[in-house]
C-alpha cells in the first residue's frame, strides 16, 4: 500500500509534466514558457524551485538540531519575494529579456554581467548540491541503498523532470507541487503536535534558548541567513526566469507576491515537526528526521503519497535550479561567444548543459554527504547576491547612474568581502559586510562622472 500511494503521486506529476511538454515547440517555450504564463504559473515556477529539500527536509533537520532559527530559510525567501513583487517584478518583466546577466549586460557591459553570472551559477550550484543531500537522506530512509546509488537515482529523476518540457511544464508542475507539499506539511505538523508533543509540552520540555530564539545560532549566522535569502532571490536565474515568463508586468507582480505569501508557512510547519520530535525524545539521524517521521506516523498508503510529495519537492527544486544554471551557461556564455550557429541549436545545447550541471552536482553531493543541508543553501544565496544585488537594484531604480567600471568594482568588492569575512570569522555577518562594501563602492561611483 505504501508503494501504491507513492506510485500514484509520482505518476500524477509525470502526467502533468508530459502533458505540458507537448506544447514545447521552440527555445522560447523551453526557456520562458512562451512569455504567456499566468500569475499562478509564475508563482509555481518561483516556489517550485525555491521550496525544495532545504525548505522541508533541511528545515526539519535544523529545527530538530537547533530550533526556531531553522525558519530563516523560508522566512527570508518569502521576504525577498515580497520585495520583488512589490517593486521590481514589473520592471524586470518589462525588459523582455531571458536572463539576469542579459539585463546587467545592457546596463553595465559584459565584464560585470560575466562576473555576476559566474557568482550566481556557482551559488546556485551549491543549492543543487543541497537538494542532492536532502534527496539522498530521503531515499536512504526507505531503501537499503548506498549514497552513490541514491544520488544516481535522484539525478535521473531530475533530468527526466527537466527534459519533459523545460519551463513550460515546470510552471504547471510547480503549482501542483506546492498543493501536494502543503498537504504533506500540514498533515505532518498536525500529527507531530498531536502524537509526539503538544505545543504546551514542547515549551515545557525545551529551554527558550536556543530552541525558541530566531537568532538561536547567533546574530552573525542568522542575520547572515536573512540577508543572503533576500539578495539571493533577486540574483538567482530560475526565480527571475519565472518573472520573465509572465504574460505581462502585472502578472509578474502577482506571481511573486503569491510566492511571498505561501513560502514562509512551509518552513514554520517544518520547524514544528522538528521541535515536536526533539521534545518527545525521538532519536534519529537529523537529515532523516522528516522522512522517518512520515513513515512512522501515517497509514501505509497515505505515508507513501506524502513521501512521494517530498520526492517531487526535492526533484522539482533540483530541476528548477539546474535549469537556471544551464540557461545562464548557454544564453550568457556559449551563444555570445559562438554566435548564430549556437543560437540555432540553443534547445539542444540547453539540454546538454543541464546534464553537465546535474551530474557534477550529484558527484559533489556524494563527496559532502552528511553535511547540514541549510548551511549549503545559505552559502549558496550569499554567493549569488553579495556582489550583484546592489548594482542590480541601482540599474532598476536609477538607470544610467552607475558606470560599467564602477558597477564591476562594486560587484567584485562585495563578493570578495563576503568570502573573506566568512573565512576570517568576523563578528559582522559576511553577507552584511559584502553588501556594505558593494554599496559604498557603488555610491562613490555614482558621484563620479559616468565612464
Amino acid at each position: 500500500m505504501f508503494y501504491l500511494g507513492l506510485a500514484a503521486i509520482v505518476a500524477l506529476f509525470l502526467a502533468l509534466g508530459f502533458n505540458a511538454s507537448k506544447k514545447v515547440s521552440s527555445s522560447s517555450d523551453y526557456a520562458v514558457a512562451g512569455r504567456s504564463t499566468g500569475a499562478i504559473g509564475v508563482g509555481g515556477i518561483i516556489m517550485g524551485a525555491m521550496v525544495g529539500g532545504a525548505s522541508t527536509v533541511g528545515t526539519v533537520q535544523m529545527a530538530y538540531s537547533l530550533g526556531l532559527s531553522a525558519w530563516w530559510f523560508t522566512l527570508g525567501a518569502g521576504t525577498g519575494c515580497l520585495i520583488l513583487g512589490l517593486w521590481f517584478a514589473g520592471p524586470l518583466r518589462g525588459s523582455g529579456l531571458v536572463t539576469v546577466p542579459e539585463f546587467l549586460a545592457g546596463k553595465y557591459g559584459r565584464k560585470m554581467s560575466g562576473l555576476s553570472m559566474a557568482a550566481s551559477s556557482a551559488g546556485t550550484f551549491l543549492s543543487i548540491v543541497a537538494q542532492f543531500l536532502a534527496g539522498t537522506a530521503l531515499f536512504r530512509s526507505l531503501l537499503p541503498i548506498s549514497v552513490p546509488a541514491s544520488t544516481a537515482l535522484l539525478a535521473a529523476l531530475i533530468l527526466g523532470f527537466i527534459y519533459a518540457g523545460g519551463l513550460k511544464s515546470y510552471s504547471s508542475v510547480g503549482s501542483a507541487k506546492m498543493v501536494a507539499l502543503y498537504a504533506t506539511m500540514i498533515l505532518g505538523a498536525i500529527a507531530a503536535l498531536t502524537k509526539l508533543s503538544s505545543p504546551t509540552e514542547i515549551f515545557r520540555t525545551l529551554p527558550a534558548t536556543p530552541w525558541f530564539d530566531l537568532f538561536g545560532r547567533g546574530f552573525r549566522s542568522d542575520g547572515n541567513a536573512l540577508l543572503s535569502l533576500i539578495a539571493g532571490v533577486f540574483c538567482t536565474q530560475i526565480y527571475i526566469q519565472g518573472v520573465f515568463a509572465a504574460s505581462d508586468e502585472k502578472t509578474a507582480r502577482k506571481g511573486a507576491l503569491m510566492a511571498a505569501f505561501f513560502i514562509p508557512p512551509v518552513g514554520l510547519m517544518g520547524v514544528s515537526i522538528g521541535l515536536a520530535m526533539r521534545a518527545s525524545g525521538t532519536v534519529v539521524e537529523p537529515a532523516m528526521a522528516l522522512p522517518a517521521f512520515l513513515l512512522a506516523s501515517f497509514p501505509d498508503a497515505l505515508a507513501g503519497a506524502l513521501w512521494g510529495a517530498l520526492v517531487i519537492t526535492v526533484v522539482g527544486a533540483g530541476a528548477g535550479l539546474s535549469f537556471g544554471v544551464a540557461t545562464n551557461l548557454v544564453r550568457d556564455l556559449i551563444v555570445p561567444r559562438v554566435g548564430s550557429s549556437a543560437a540555432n541549436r540553443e534547445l539542444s545545447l540547453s539540454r546538454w548543459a543541464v546534464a553537465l550541471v546535474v551530474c557534477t552536482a550529484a558527484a559533489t553531493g556524494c563527496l559532502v554527504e552528511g553535511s547540514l543541508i541549510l548551511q549549503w543553501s545559505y552559502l549558496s544565496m550569499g554567493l549569488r547576491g553579495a556582489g550583484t544585488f546592489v548594482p542590480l537594484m541601482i540599474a532598476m531604480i536609477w538607470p544610467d547612474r552607475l558606470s560599467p567600471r564602477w558597477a564591476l568594482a562594486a560587484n567584485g568588492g562585495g563578493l570578495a568581502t563576503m568570502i573573506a569575512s566568512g573565512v576570517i570569522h568576523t563578528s559582522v555577518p559576511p553577507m552584511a559586510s559584502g553588501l556594505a562594501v558593494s554599496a559604498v563602492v557603488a555610491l562613490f561611483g555614482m558621484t563620479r562622472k559616468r565612464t
Side-chain angles (χ1 to χ4, degrees):
M1 292 302 296
F2 175 89
Y3 289 105
L4 184 62
L6 170 61
I9 290 295
V10 174
L12 173 62
F13 279 88
L14 286 175
L16 287 172
F18 280 113
N19 181 63
S21 71
K22 296 176 183 178
K23 303 173 184 177
V24 176
S25 58
S26 67
S27 60
S28 176
D29 285 340
Y30 187 77
V32 289
R35 299 194 194 277
S36 59
T37 305
I40 294 177
V42 172
I45 293 170
I46 297 172
M47 292 184 289
M50 191 174 291
V51 182
S55 304
T56 53
V57 178
T59 295
V60 176
Q61 176 194 28
M62 183 173 282
Y64 178 83
S65 303
L66 299 169
L68 186 60
S69 59
W71 194 23
W72 277 120
F73 187 84
T74 50
L75 187 60
T79 303
C81 288
L82 178 65
I83 298 171
L84 175 65
L86 288 176
W87 292 293
F88 301 106
L92 282 169
R93 172 60 184 87
S95 70
L97 299 174
V98 174
T99 71
V100 175
E102 281 180 343
F103 182 86
L104 293 171
K107 303 293 183 180
Y108 303 125
R110 287 288 176 189
K111 288 184 179 179
M112 190 278 185
S113 68
L115 178 58
S116 173
M117 188 209 76
S120 176
S121 296
T124 305
F125 177 82
L126 296 183
S127 195
I128 301 168
V129 172
Q131 303 309 312
F132 274 97
L133 294 175
T136 296
L138 191 59
F139 287 132
R140 295 186 68 215
S141 70
L142 175 66
L143 304 172
I145 57 177
S146 65
V147 171
S150 61
T151 301
L153 176 59
L154 181 59
L157 290 172
I158 289 174
L159 289 173
F161 199 96
I162 299 173
Y163 291 158
L167 216 64
K168 178 74 79 171
S169 62
Y170 197 79
S171 64
S172 302
V173 175
S175 302
K177 188 192 92 168
M178 284 303 296
V179 173
L181 178 60
Y182 249 80
T184 299
M185 298 305 287
I186 289 173
L187 289 173
I190 292 173
L193 297 176
T194 55
K195 295 181 179 181
L196 294 180
S197 298
S198 68
T200 301
E201 291 170 334
I202 293 174
F203 281 106
R204 186 175 64 245
T205 303
L206 300 176
T209 302
W211 299 101
F212 305 107
D213 184 356
L214 263 176
F215 292 93
R217 297 185 302 150
F219 176 76
R220 182 181 188 275
S221 295
D222 291 320
N224 190 71
L226 175 61
L227 291 174
S228 295
L229 264 296
I230 292 175
V233 166
F234 285 83
C235 304
T236 301
Q237 175 58 34
I238 186 59
Y239 308 153
I240 303 303
Q241 208 160 335
V243 171
F244 288 145
S247 57
D248 54 46
E249 294 182 24
K250 184 178 180 180
T251 300
R253 287 193 294 269
K254 287 182 177 179
L257 292 174
M258 182 183 301
F261 180 80
F262 283 108
I263 290 173
V266 173
L268 191 57
M269 289 184 280
V271 167
S272 69
I273 295 171
L275 289 176
M277 294 183 72
R278 172 60 68 175
S280 69
T282 302
V283 178
V284 65
E285 184 179 333
M288 296 185 182
L290 179 57
F293 169 73
L294 294 178
L295 288 170
S297 302
F298 295 97
D300 287 348
L302 180 56
L306 299 179
W307 198 87
L310 279 185
V311 171
I312 295 297
T313 295
V314 173
V315 170
L321 295 166
S322 301
F323 185 78
V325 174
T327 300
N328 279 145
L329 291 175
V330 173
R331 297 279 304 204
D332 302 310
L333 183 64
I334 297 175
V335 170
R337 286 161 176 75
V338 177
S340 58
S341 61
N344 294 333
R345 296 185 289 114
E346 187 175 325
L347 186 57
S348 63
L349 286 172
S350 294
R351 287 172 170 156
W352 279 107
V354 162
L356 174 65
V357 171
V358 171
C359 292
T360 306
T364 306
C366 287
L367 294 175
V368 300
E369 192 272 332
S371 305
L372 197 61
I373 296 166
L374 282 185
Q375 293 288 64
W376 284 85
S377 299
Y378 290 142
L379 175 60
S380 162
M381 288 290 191
L383 284 174
R384 297 179 222 178
T388 301
F389 181 71
V390 171
L392 178 62
M393 293 296 101
I394 292 173
M396 289 188 285
I397 300 172
W398 300 293
D400 303 321
R401 288 286 302 277
L402 186 64
S403 73
R405 180 168 59 113
W406 283 104
L408 178 62
N411 193 344
L415 183 61
T417 303
M418 189 275 291
I419 295 173
S421 179
V423 171
I424 64 178
H425 296 285
T426 62
S427 59
V428 179
M431 193 65 184
S433 301
L435 291 176
V437 168
S438 182
V440 168
V441 173
L443 289 173
F444 183 77
M446 291 171 69
T447 66
R448 314 296 292 176
K449 182 178 179 181
R450 181 179 169 90
T451 57

